[in-house]
């Protein structure tokens, strides 16, 4: 494991430090100007120093690992080690004064996630995972749900690189007909991680969203969930779709999605 398990507590310490820094600057009401530029300016006042602090701490722990250049993107290095991080994951929620945000850190080795930490300070959730060593929530091993699909809470999100918005919309209708409820509960990474802990039963998404999916994908998989694309193939950062669900539900989810027609360009 190249010392990933031994690295984990040091990454947790760094993530919690950054989480405390951001939490101290969070308010219970919406902030920012009346337009997009004003909102972005306020966010950068928190995100820029938080990101720099996170990068400084992680570089000291794993100096050979590269740094992903963009928090919103799909390019993940195929070889070597790379940090994929977001100091304020859930920027919109943070700015709206909502508690659904966190700090995410994933160490990617040769194109696959091998270590992940997700800290949501205001929710009291600290998820950790190391490839082959399991996943934990607040120090306790994860346990995915055992519900039938008809009783399941299914969650989804809309990534910035979705070339099939019509299919995403059709899949929402399909899932609404087969599950108890469909919701969007905040940052993508957190929702996927919650599949591993049983707070969420199913998460699916269409579109390329590697940076947001990587931490939750490892946490959910190490927690016992199956993580694939919508066709049932092993998920990779380059996959055009994503499904995370317990083994008992996974095949049913794929059957629902298989009935959703792909959009044909005019």
């Amino acid at each position: 494991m190249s010392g990933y398990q031994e690295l984990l507590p040091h990454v947790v310490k760094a993530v919690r430090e950054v989480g405390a820094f951001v939490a101290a600057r969070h308010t219970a009401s919406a902030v920012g100007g009346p337009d997009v530029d004003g909102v972005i300016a306020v966010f950068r006042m928190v995100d820029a120093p938080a990101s720099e602090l996170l990068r400084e701490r992680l570089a000291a722990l794993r100096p050979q690992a590269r740094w992903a250049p963009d928090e919103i993107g799909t390019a993940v290095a195929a070889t070597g080690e790379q940090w994929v991080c977001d100091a304020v994951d859930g920027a919109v929620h943070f700015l709206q004064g909502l508690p659904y945000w966190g700090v995410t850190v994933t160490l990617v080795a040769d194109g696959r996630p091998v270590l992940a930490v997700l800290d949501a300070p205001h929710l009291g959730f600290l998820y950790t995972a190391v490839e082959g060593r399991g996943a934990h929530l607040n120090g306790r091993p994860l346990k995915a749900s055992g519900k039938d699909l008809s009783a399941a809470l299914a969650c989804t999100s809309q990534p910035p690189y979705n070339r099939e918005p019509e299919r995403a919309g059709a899949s929402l209708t399909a899932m609404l007909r087969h599950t108890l409820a469909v919701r969007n509960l905040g940052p993508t990474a957190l929702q996927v991680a919650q599949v591993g802990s049983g707070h969420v039963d199913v998460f699916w998404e269409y579109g390329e969203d590697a940076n947001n999916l990587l931490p939750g994908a490892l946490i959910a998989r190490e927690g016992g969930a199956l993580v694939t694309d919508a066709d049932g193939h092993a998920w990779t950062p380059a996959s055009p779709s994503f499904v995370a669900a317990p083994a008992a539900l996974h095949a049913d989810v794929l059957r629902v999605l298989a009935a959703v027609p792909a959009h044909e360009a005019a």
Side-chain angles (χ1 to χ4, degrees):
M1 292 300 165
S2 301
Y4 298 136
Q5 186 66 32
E6 292 74 17
L7 179 64
L8 180 62
H10 303 288
V11 176
V12 168
K13 181 180 179 181
V15 168
R16 280 186 152 164
E17 180 182 0
V18 174
F21 175 90
V22 176
R25 289 152 181 81
H26 181 263
T27 68
S29 57
V31 296
D35 55 21
V36 173
D37 289 341
V39 170
I40 291 175
V42 170
F43 180 67
R44 284 177 175 168
M45 291 176 63
V46 177
D47 183 64
S51 297
E52 183 58 32
L53 177 61
L54 186 58
R55 183 170 186 170
E56 177 183 318
R57 295 293 186 265
L58 296 179
L61 294 175
R62 204 78 171 178
Q64 71 270 33
R66 288 166 285 178
W67 189 262
D70 192 354
E71 293 172 0
I72 301 176
T74 58
V76 175
T79 59
E81 291 184 348
Q82 182 181 36
W83 291 112
V84 177
C85 307
D86 195 339
V88 191
D89 186 26
V92 172
H93 304 91
F94 178 87
L95 290 166
Q96 290 297 120
L98 297 168
Y100 310 110
W101 60 271
V103 182
T104 62
V105 167
T106 309
L107 183 60
V108 177
D110 297 333
R112 72 184 194 282
V114 295
L115 179 153
V117 176
L118 190 164
D119 182 31
H122 286 305
L123 299 177
F125 290 161
L126 176 69
Y127 285 93
T128 60
V130 173
E131 184 184 46
R133 302 296 291 269
H136 296 79
L137 170 58
N138 298 335
R140 299 187 300 274
L142 299 193
K143 183 179 180 180
S145 79
K147 296 178 183 175
D148 295 332
L149 188 60
S150 61
L153 169 61
C155 290
T156 190
S157 187
Q158 304 303 318
Y161 298 99
N162 188 354
R163 297 183 177 88
E164 295 185 284
E166 294 84 2
R167 193 176 191 187
S171 72
L172 178 61
T173 301
M175 292 296 287
L176 281 167
R177 289 173 174 164
H178 290 87
T179 60
L180 180 65
V182 176
R183 299 288 187 269
N184 184 324
L185 299 178
T188 295
L190 178 59
Q191 295 183 85
V192 179
Q194 288 177 310
V195 174
S197 59
H199 291 94
V200 170
D201 302 302
V202 175
F203 183 91
W204 91 98
E205 183 179 279
Y206 286 98
E208 299 171 16
D209 198 17
N211 289 22
N212 287 320
L213 291 168
L214 277 165
L218 179 61
I219 293 165
R221 188 172 67 237
E222 288 294 323
L226 298 181
V227 177
T228 68
D229 65 13
D231 295 320
H233 304 304
W235 181 80
T236 73
S239 296
S241 57
F242 180 93
V243 174
L249 285 178
H250 191 267
D252 290 335
V253 174
L254 294 188
R255 278 193 287 271
V256 172
L257 297 179
V260 177
H263 174 67
E264 295 182 4

